[in-house]
Amino acid sequence: MIEATDSSHGFEHAARCARIGGRVVLVGIPENNQYVLSGAESRRKGLSIKFSRRMPEVYPRAIALAQGGQVKLAPLATHRFSLDQTPAAFEQQVARRDGIIKAIICP
């Protein structure tokens, strides 16, 4: 589960959505530089928590790796939905149906 919002509650929401034994990667920078997290659910699920530091100097390298074919991105976008199918896209993503990894909503 990747949490990439600016909400101080994003960490807790990600922990709630993560599966037992899952990992939550915190990418977003929360408002007021503080996260809200009730510890019981995270402990009960045995979550691994990782922080990600975004550094602008790594973007050109990441783009070059993807352009050079060393990182295959296309297989990650397994499903595409039209804008009017957005609710179905979210439902399928949450339920992890039909082998979905990443849903793309195309306006």
Side-chain angles (χ1 to χ4, degrees), residues 41-101:
E41 187 165 18
S42 298
R43 283 191 310 272
R44 189 175 67 248
K45 288 183 174 181
L47 298 179
S48 296
I49 310 299
K50 306 258 319 171
F51 289 87
S52 176
R53 183 173 176 209
R54 295 176 289 167
M55 298 172 285
E57 64 273 7
V58 301
Y59 295 141
R61 181 171 176 239
I63 292 167
L65 287 170
Q67 286 176 331
Q70 289 102 332
V71 179
K72 304 289 185 200
L73 300 177
L76 297 177
T78 57
H79 293 68
R80 295 184 183 276
F81 297 87
S82 63
L83 192 56
D84 63 323
Q85 295 174 308
T86 298
F90 279 99
E91 288 172 16
Q92 188 167 343
Q93 187 75 57
V94 169
R96 296 188 177 121
R97 286 193 313 261
D98 295 332
I100 194 167
I101 295 173

